[in-house]
Amino acid sequence: MGKKRLAAALVLALAVTLGACAQKQSTAKKSGADSGKHATAPQIESFLAVDQEWYAITVEGIEKGKRDQYIVDLSLENKTDDKELLFRMTAVSGDGLLLEAYCTPKVKAGKTVKEQVVFRENPNYDMWDFRDLKFTFDVEDAADIGARRDTPDVFHIYPYGKESGTSFVRRAGENERVLEENENFRVTLLHTGFEDGAYCANLYLENIGDKPYFFEFDNVSADDCMMHESFDENLDVGEKTFLTVSCEEEELKKYQLTEVKKLEFTLRAGEGRYFFDEPTFEKTFTLTAGEET
């Protein structure tokens, strides 16, 4: 009887184990299906996005990187015979939300460069959900960068078609709160806390007015200890962005701060694309750790 009971117990244990494994496999498959909803990149045809006397920009396509990065492939052509050109992407947005990506190559006279714009992952959005990607470039003579043109080059990519109906919508969190709202802009506090050693206030900044606005966040302090960090952003009409005001780990160590009870910063804002002559708004905000919860 003892052997039979032992055998039965072993069979039962094996069945439970197999059942658990099957459940794990099922869960893994489901999770894999969810994470693989963008297994392939949107298929778009190559097109000439910018065609100027000195240069041209061609959109070659969109691809998915080895680590699931969202990548836009560009071809940058310098048409001149004697100038090196700086192709400087000054902004890129998805459905009006400013995104994190960089592109600043220099191209020799008469040459063409293939460039990949790689977008950084962000927990606040999924790159694959954007319908309208807007790119803004300043292309300048690398030997005379100060002589900027008044009008930048702007072009759009519609990954799923211009009339697809796909569009990014931010999902508001339960505990976030509006720090400031007026006729020109709105600042929402999403949450505060330590991230990768830095103490951060994560904000959502929106231009809700009818003019471009420039924003400066400075005079940052943690528990009345001044930090060296300052932050700025410019938003065109209808644009918005996720922005973090942070106290870096090295700065906190100077004051032996292992926790932060109070974060303070001053926000100045005014009309302008890259700076303002005089701020039209100035206010100091004091955030108590965890108050948004």
Side-chain angles (χ1 to χ4, degrees), residues 1 58 65 70 89 92 98 257 291:
M1 292 295 292
T58 300
Y70 192 100
M89 189 175 74
V92 59
L98 292 189
L257 291 175
E291 67 173 306

Side-chain angles (χ1 to χ4, degrees), residues 64-71 118-121 128:
K64 186 175 184 179
K66 293 181 180 179
R67 298 180 180 178
D68 292 342
Q69 306 104 315
Y70 192 100
I71 300 172
V118 181
F119 290 83
R120 292 186 177 182
E121 289 185 322
W128 306 91

Side-chain angles (χ1 to χ4, degrees), residues 35 38-42 61-73 100-101 116-122 126-128:
S35 62
H38 304 298
T40 59
I62 299 173
E63 61 180 281
K64 186 175 184 179
K66 293 181 180 179
R67 298 180 180 178
D68 292 342
Q69 306 104 315
Y70 192 100
I71 300 172
V72 173
D73 295 313
E100 291 186 275
Q116 289 192 320
V117 179
V118 181
F119 290 83
R120 292 186 177 182
E121 289 185 322
N122 190 301
D126 186 338
M127 276 299 305
W128 306 91

Side-chain angles (χ1 to χ4, degrees), residues 22 61 93 142 217 259 287:
S93 64
F217 296 81
E259 63 177 342
L287 309 178

Side-chain angles (χ1 to χ4, degrees), residues 95-131:
D95 298 335
L97 177 69
L98 292 189
L99 305 174
E100 291 186 275
Y102 303 92
C103 181
T104 56
K106 289 182 179 180
V107 183
K108 297 290 186 181
K111 305 297 183 182
T112 297
V113 168
K114 300 288 187 181
E115 188 75 10
Q116 289 192 320
V117 179
V118 181
F119 290 83
R120 292 186 177 182
E121 289 185 322
N122 190 301
N124 296 299
Y125 54 79
D126 186 338
M127 276 299 305
W128 306 91
D129 292 338
F130 293 116
R131 175 186 66 86

